[in-house]
Amino acid sequence: MKIIRSFLFTCLIVALGTFIVFQGLNVMTGKTETVAPKKSPAALEAIHLLAIGDSLTKGVGDSTKNGGYVPLIATKLEETRGIDSVTTKNYGVTGERSDEILERIEQQKDIQKEIKKADIIILTAGGNDLIETFKKEKLNINQKSFVKPEEKFKKNLSTILKKITSQNPKAQIYVFGLYNPFEAVFPEITEMKSILRTWNDDTKKIAEENKATYLSLSTIFNTSEQSSISNLTNPSDKTDTSALLYEEDLFHPNNKGYQLIAEQLYRIIMDKKD
C-alpha cells in the first residue's frame, strides 16, 4: 500500500514539474495562446450617388419622368449584394454647355456640399458645346469649325474634374462620352464621325488624367461602334439605333436608351469594385 502511494505521489510531482517547465518556456519565448475574436458580419454599404450635367443627366426623353439613367443605376446598385441603400442627387440642367456646368460647380453651395459627401459622381458635359457649333454651321460642317469649341470644352472639362477631385478625392468619378444622334438622319455628314471620335478621345484622356473613368456612349447609340457591346443588345437592335432615341426629337435617349446606359455604367462600377 505504501509502495502504491509513493508511486502515485511521484507521478503527481513529475506531472506538476512538467507543467511548470512548459509554462516557463512559453513565458520565455513569448508564446501565449490567444483566442481569435469572432468576426462580425460585414457592414452593408450605403452609397451616395451624385449626377451633374446637361439634359442627358436630367433625363430628357424618359417617358417616366423619373430622371433617365439615374434612378435606373440606383435600383441596380440597391439590388447588388453587399449594398444596403443608394441615395441620389440629380443636378442635370437641359441645354447647359460645359462652361455653364463649371459655373454651377464653382458657385452653387448645394452642389459643393453634395460633391463632398458623394461616393459616386457621374458627369455628362460637352453635348451642347458640340451641338451649338453644329447648329451654327448647319450642313456646311468641316473639322476646322470644331477646333476652337473643342479647345474650350477640354479646358472646361479639365477644370470641372479638378474642382471635383479637390473637394472629394475619394469619390469614384465617371465621365460620359458623346454620341452622334444624327447618324441615322444625316448619314451623308461623314465629318461628324471624325469630329466625334476626336472629342471622345480627348474626353477619355482628360478623364484618365484626373483619375476619372470614361464611359462610351457611341458604342451604344452609333451603329459603327456597336460591335463592342454585342452582349448588351439583340442583333435586331444593332440595325436601328434610332430605336434607342426619343421619338419627339430623335436626339435624346428614350427609356430603352437610358436602360442600356444604366447597364453599361453598372458593369463598369462593378468592375472597379472587384
Side-chain angles (χ1 to χ4, degrees):
M1 191 69 177
K2 288 182 179 180
I3 295 173
I4 295 174
R5 285 181 182 175
S6 177
F7 175 75
L8 292 174
F9 181 75
T10 301
C11 290
L12 180 62
I13 294 298
V14 171
L16 182 61
T18 302
F19 174 77
I20 292 172
V21 169
F22 275 103
Q23 286 296 98
L25 288 173
N26 281 339
V27 171
M28 291 174 65
T29 58
K31 294 180 180 179
T32 58
E33 185 178 352
T34 59
V35 178
K38 292 182 179 180
K39 293 183 179 180
S40 58
L44 293 176
E45 189 177 2
I47 294 176
H48 186 68
L49 185 149
L50 171 63
I52 307 173
D54 47 33
S55 56
L56 192 62
T57 290
K58 182 72 173 177
V60 174
D62 173 14
S63 64
T64 69
K65 309 297 181 184
N66 287 329
Y69 73 85
V70 176
L72 297 176
I73 187 62
T75 298
K76 293 184 74 66
L77 289 171
E78 284 178 336
E79 293 172 349
T80 301
R81 184 177 180 182
I83 297 177
D84 179 51
S85 62
V86 179
T87 58
T88 64
K89 273 288 186 177
N90 191 330
Y91 285 94
V93 176
T94 301
E96 280 200 338
R97 300 183 308 271
S98 58
D99 59 308
E100 294 170 311
I101 296 171
L102 172 59
E103 185 177 346
R104 280 197 290 143
I105 291 173
E106 290 178 327
Q107 296 182 3
Q108 293 187 15
K109 299 297 182 183
D110 56 336
I111 293 183
Q112 294 170 8
K113 181 180 178 181
E114 292 295 330
I115 288 174
K116 290 175 182 177
K117 67 180 184 181
D119 301 297
I120 296 175
I121 300 174
I122 305 168
L123 175 68
T124 62
N128 291 305
D129 303 59
L130 187 69
I131 295 305
E132 187 175 270
T133 304
F134 181 84
K135 288 180 178 178
K136 287 179 181 177
E137 298 297 324
K138 297 182 179 178
L139 297 181
N140 299 315
I141 292 178
N142 63 81
Q143 288 184 301
K144 291 182 179 179
S145 304
F146 289 82
V147 172
K148 288 185 178 180
E150 194 208 351
E151 287 301 317
K152 290 180 180 179
F153 165 69
K154 287 163 56 179
K155 183 178 179 180
N156 291 331
L157 177 61
S158 181
T159 305
I160 287 171
L161 293 175
K162 284 178 171 56
K163 293 283 183 183
I164 291 174
T165 53
S166 67
Q167 294 177 51
N168 187 345
K170 294 182 179 181
Q172 293 181 18
I173 305 171
Y174 299 88
V175 180
F176 285 9
L178 305 178
Y179 62 93
N180 178 12
F182 306 117
E183 182 180 68
V185 182
F186 301 115
E188 70 276 8
I189 307 179
T190 56
E191 292 85 353
M192 276 297 293
K193 184 176 179 180
S194 299
I195 293 166
L196 194 70
R197 183 180 294 114
T198 300
W199 277 56
N200 283 334
D201 287 346
D202 288 337
T203 298
K204 183 178 180 180
K205 181 180 178 181
I206 293 169
E208 292 173 347
E209 288 173 350
N210 289 276
K211 299 181 179 179
T213 301
Y214 173 80
L215 186 148
S216 172
L217 293 187
S218 60
T219 54
I220 297 175
F221 294 98
N222 295 134
T223 305
S224 58
E225 305 284 347
Q226 282 191 347
S227 59
S228 64
I229 60 157
S230 57
N231 60 320
L232 288 184
T233 58
N234 294 320
S236 59
D237 294 331
K238 287 185 262 182
T239 61
D240 182 14
T241 55
S242 63
L244 304 178
L245 298 178
Y246 184 39
E247 62 181 7
E248 291 189 17
D249 62 15
L250 291 179
F251 182 83
H252 295 94
N254 57 20
N255 294 13
K256 189 174 183 179
Y258 280 119
Q259 183 66 50
L260 292 181
I261 292 173
E263 288 176 7
Q264 185 159 324
L265 176 59
Y266 176 76
R267 254 194 315 276
I268 292 175
I269 292 175
M270 289 298 101
D271 287 344
K272 289 186 71 67
K273 287 177 70 68
D274 293 339

